[in-house]
Amino acid sequence: MKIKGRNIKQKINNINVSFNDLGRKEAPSIIFIHGFPFNKSIWDAQAEALKDNYRVITYDIRGHGESSVGMEIFTIELFVKDLIALMDILKIKKTIICGLSMGGYIALNAIENYPERFEALILSDTQSIADTPEVKEKRMNAVDAIRKHGVEKFANESIKNLFSSESFKTKTAEIAAVKAMILSTAEQVLYFTLLALTNRKGTSGNLPNIKVPVLIMVGEEDKITPPAQARYMHEKTNDSVLATISQSAHIPNLENTPAFNEPLIEFLNSISKMALKTP
Ligand code: MLT
C-alpha cells in the first residue's frame, strides 16, 4: 500500500506535529530530522530520491514549520519524546534515523536512551559535544540581538555561516528558502530553542556503545559543526563511515544534493538487501 501524505497533522504530547509520510507502508522506514531553525522541507530532495524503496518520514520539530509550540520548556529530551511518540503513533517499532545538526543532537540522544528503536544512524553536520562556554555566550548574545534588532538581522547573520562560498554563487533559491524558514519561525521559538541547544548534554560518552551502523556526513566548509567534530565521532564509534561533502557548509543535503545523496544511498544499500541506484 502506498502512503501519500504531505503535511499530515497528528496530536502527540499535547502538540500538533506536522509530517510527510511517503513511500510504501511495509518498506523499511527512515525518519529525517531537520536543524535549527529550519523545517521538514529541507529534506524534500532526499525524500524524493528514497520514497520508491523506503517509507520516508520528515517532520517539523515542535515550534518549527507547521508544528505547534505546546506549553513545555524546550529541551533536546522533549524533542526526543516527540520523536518516539510520533514513531509510536505511526506504529514504527524500529527505524533508520537521520538528523542534521540539531536533528543530529536529537538522533544521538534518542539512540542513547532508546537504542532498541533504531537500526541505523545517519548524522549530518552535527556533533556529540555539549556547548563550550564561548558557544553558550554566543547563543545568549543571539537571544539579546533578536530582542533588540529583530529576526531579519538574525536571519541575515545566520545565513552568512550556513552556506559555502560556492553556494553563495549558485544556490540563491535554496538560500532564499532557508532565510524564509528562519523568518517564519516565531521569535519565542527561536529563544526557546536556543536555550534547549545550549542546555543540551553531550553524547560523546555513548558513541562507543552504539551497536548499529553509522554514517557521518559533513560539509567541507561547515563552520558551525566542523569536519573535526565529524572525525571525532567517526573515531569514537565502532562501525561508522565518514563522508565529507564538497562545495557545501552546514546544509550539504541542500547545497550539494547529488554529493550528499550518493554516500547516503551507498550506506543504505550496504545495510539493506535492496540496491538503490546512486544519482
Ligand atoms: C542547527 O543547524 O541545528 C544549529 O546550527 C545547531 C547549533 O547551533 O548547534
Side-chain angles (χ1 to χ4, degrees):
M1 192 184 76
K2 275 214 156 190
I3 309 165
K4 279 257 175 297
R6 289 182 203 272
N7 295 314
I8 306 168
K9 283 265 166 81
Q10 175 69 55
K11 192 141 190 142
I12 53 154
N13 298 338
N14 297 318
I15 57 157
N16 278 314
V17 68
S18 172
F19 63 98
N20 296 343
D21 190 353
L22 304 174
R24 283 178 303 113
K25 205 171 183 169
E26 6 4 286
S29 63
I30 174 162
I31 301 181
F32 287 92
I33 319 175
H34 62 80
F36 166 78
F38 315 137
N39 63 51
K40 61 182 175 310
S41 70
I42 67 154
W43 297 114
D44 284 352
Q46 285 68 43
E48 203 46 46
L50 299 177
K51 72 179 181 358
D52 290 342
N53 297 78
Y54 287 86
R55 177 178 185 183
V56 184
I57 292 151
T58 57
Y59 72 98
D60 292 330
I61 295 169
R62 65 167 69 206
H64 297 74
E66 305 288 315
S67 290
S68 57
V69 183
M71 301 291 284
E72 288 181 71
I73 292 172
F74 280 15
T75 58
I76 296 298
E77 286 74 17
L78 178 65
F79 297 156
V80 170
K81 214 171 110 193
D82 292 342
L83 164 68
I84 299 296
L86 181 64
M87 287 172 66
D88 287 345
I89 220 131
L90 297 177
K91 304 212 172 343
I92 296 174
K93 284 207 182 98
K94 223 170 175 173
T95 190
I96 303 164
I97 190 91
C98 174
L100 180 133
S101 201
M102 172 171 73
Y105 305 156
I106 297 169
L108 282 162
N109 186 302
I111 206 154
E112 179 166 345
N113 290 296
Y114 302 88
E116 71 288 355
R117 302 298 301 264
F118 302 99
E119 50 198 350
L121 172 65
I122 302 165
L123 300 169
S124 178
D125 301 80
T126 193
Q127 57 197 359
S128 56
I129 56 165
D131 275 4
T132 60
E134 293 74 30
V135 174
K136 281 182 189 286
E137 196 182 327
K138 265 195 203 158
R139 296 207 200 271
M140 291 311 105
N141 290 343
V143 169
D144 282 348
I146 298 167
R147 282 208 179 103
K148 279 195 201 116
H149 310 293
V151 181
E152 172 102 34
K153 190 149 191 274
F154 172 73
N156 290 334
E157 291 300 313
S158 302
I159 293 288
K160 286 185 198 159
N161 288 320
L162 289 171
F163 292 96
S164 69
S165 39
E166 179 65 19
S167 298
F168 283 112
K169 290 187 226 146
T170 56
K171 299 285 170 188
T172 39
E174 288 79 0
I175 293 175
V178 168
K179 184 169 174 189
M181 287 179 216
I182 303 175
L183 291 176
S184 67
T185 309
E187 226 174 280
Q188 257 191 338
V189 169
L190 296 174
Y191 305 146
F192 292 165
T193 316
L194 282 162
L195 284 176
L197 292 174
T198 208
N199 289 331
R200 77 182 191 283
K201 293 195 285 264
T203 49
S204 302
N206 189 52
L207 294 174
N209 305 330
I210 296 176
K211 300 232 165 20
V212 296
V214 184
L215 169 64
I216 301 164
M217 292 191 273
V218 62
E220 64 179 352
E221 291 181 41
D222 192 341
K223 295 194 271 293
I224 301 171
T225 48
Q229 291 301 330
R231 284 195 295 275
Y232 175 76
M233 293 189 291
H234 177 49
E235 278 156 23
K236 293 274 169 194
T237 41
N238 293 316
D239 181 13
S240 68
V241 179
L242 176 64
T244 304
I245 313 300
S246 63
Q247 297 183 8
S248 56
H250 194 58
I251 323 181
N253 59 313
L254 272 188
E255 299 181 73
N256 192 352
T257 303
F260 182 92
N261 283 3
E262 193 177 320
L264 172 67
I265 290 174
E266 253 169 44
F267 175 76
L268 292 172
N269 283 340
S270 75
I271 59 166
S272 101
K273 286 168 197 74
M274 287 178 301
L276 302 186
K277 286 197 197 84
T278 48

